[in-house]
Amino acid sequence: LISEIQISGASSVLENEIKDLINIKIGDAYNEVDIANARYRIIESYISKGFPDVKVEVKREIKNGNASLAFYINEGQLVLFGKTIVTGNQKTKFNVVKRELQQKENSPFDASLLSKERQKLYKLGLFSDIYMEPLDTYEGKKDVLIRLKEGNAGAIEVSLGYAEYEQYRGIIDLSYRNLMGMNREASLRLELSSLEKRYVLQYYEPWFMKKELPFRV
């Protein structure tokens, strides 16, 4: 059974918070899987707080059916986000990229944010390839380089058909999803048949009034 849990080396995170991360209590059965998971949770928490080089060592002492655990934490250096460098956005405005980013200059560096930001940028549908790389640390900061490869923002769809009642019919759909480089979309749809003609014009603004409020007309 676990008889004692010691924590040393933590100065930037409260000991109670680390105990919550460990989630092992006095009297619990000794379990190597629980101990390993506790160590990884501490590391992940520190990394999210800007300590990418944190090291956590666990020492065990088992005697007379009791186990004493000691968590030794080497926090390493606090690293902050530096500048965000964006390249490859020839048609897309920088603000379109910036508003999808969660990283802020001088906030704790969290590498997990980069994958989340990459997913959000892909969802825009403007880029065929996105490469994000944290650069070398300088003066306690890491700049992030974002290389973008823009896809084709325009599309043309044409379909033709024949039905006994309508006879000949056709549809032409024209769309462009990056008006003025601001991820605004406009489309024109023409539906023609021997019986009727239909014209549909649409406009979509993802950030209405500079807020993340989709607007379509």
Side-chain angles (χ1 to χ4, degrees):
L1 301 178
I2 303 296
S3 60
E4 184 182 14
I5 300 175
Q6 297 179 352
I7 300 170
S8 62
S11 59
S12 301
V13 180
L14 295 176
E15 185 171 319
N16 286 338
E17 183 178 346
I18 296 176
K19 287 181 179 179
D20 290 339
L21 292 169
I22 293 173
N23 197 27
I24 299 175
K25 298 178 177 61
I26 303 298
D28 287 351
Y30 180 89
N31 188 317
E32 278 292 342
V33 175
D34 291 342
I35 296 171
N37 289 340
R39 176 178 174 271
Y40 286 127
R41 284 195 294 269
I42 296 172
I43 292 174
E44 288 175 354
S45 178
Y46 265 94
I47 289 176
S48 69
K49 290 177 170 61
F51 295 89
D53 300 322
V54 62
K55 292 180 175 59
V56 179
E57 183 183 1
V58 185
K59 291 187 178 180
R60 307 128 170 103
E61 184 177 341
I62 300 175
K63 188 176 181 181
N64 298 327
N66 291 320
S68 175
L69 302 179
F71 289 82
Y72 295 91
I73 301 172
N74 182 356
E75 295 181 333
Q77 180 185 6
L78 173 64
V79 179
L80 305 177
F81 275 110
K83 303 290 184 183
T84 303
I85 305 163
V86 180
T87 64
N89 54 321
Q90 298 178 356
K91 298 178 182 178
T92 306
K93 301 290 187 182
F94 172 72
N95 283 341
V96 173
V97 179
K98 183 180 178 181
R99 66 194 184 191
E100 301 297 329
L101 302 180
Q102 297 175 268
Q103 55 181 279
K104 304 294 181 184
E105 188 174 358
N106 295 323
S107 64
F109 179 83
D110 182 1
S112 67
L113 288 182
L114 302 185
S115 60
K116 297 176 183 177
E117 293 171 346
R118 191 167 178 262
Q119 291 175 359
K120 292 184 69 176
L121 290 172
Y122 266 124
K123 286 182 179 180
L124 296 178
L126 301 177
F127 309 110
S128 60
D129 193 21
I130 300 171
Y131 176 77
M132 307 184 76
E133 177 189 8
L135 303 180
D136 292 338
T137 304
Y138 70 98
E139 298 178 357
K141 294 184 179 181
K142 271 185 181 291
D143 292 340
V144 177
L145 174 63
I146 303 176
R147 291 196 187 109
L148 304 171
K149 184 178 180 181
E150 294 178 324
N152 193 343
I156 301 176
E157 296 183 26
V158 179
S159 59
L160 301 172
Y162 180 85
E164 185 176 336
Y165 179 68
E166 289 183 305
Q167 296 183 352
Y168 295 101
R169 66 174 302 176
I171 299 175
I172 301 176
D173 206 332
L174 310 174
S175 64
Y176 191 81
R177 64 187 314 163
N178 199 15
L179 290 174
M180 295 175 283
M182 292 299 295
N183 196 29
R184 298 168 178 145
E185 183 177 351
S187 64
L188 173 64
R189 181 181 176 91
L190 310 177
E191 300 179 5
L192 310 173
S193 73
S194 58
L195 298 179
E196 65 176 0
K197 296 178 182 178
R198 188 164 179 257
Y199 307 91
V200 182
L201 180 63
Q202 291 192 77
Y203 172 78
Y204 175 71
E205 169 66 69
W207 285 67
F208 185 61
M209 301 293 290
K210 297 184 179 180
K211 297 181 180 180
E212 196 173 359
L213 179 65
F215 172 76
R216 188 185 298 274
V217 61

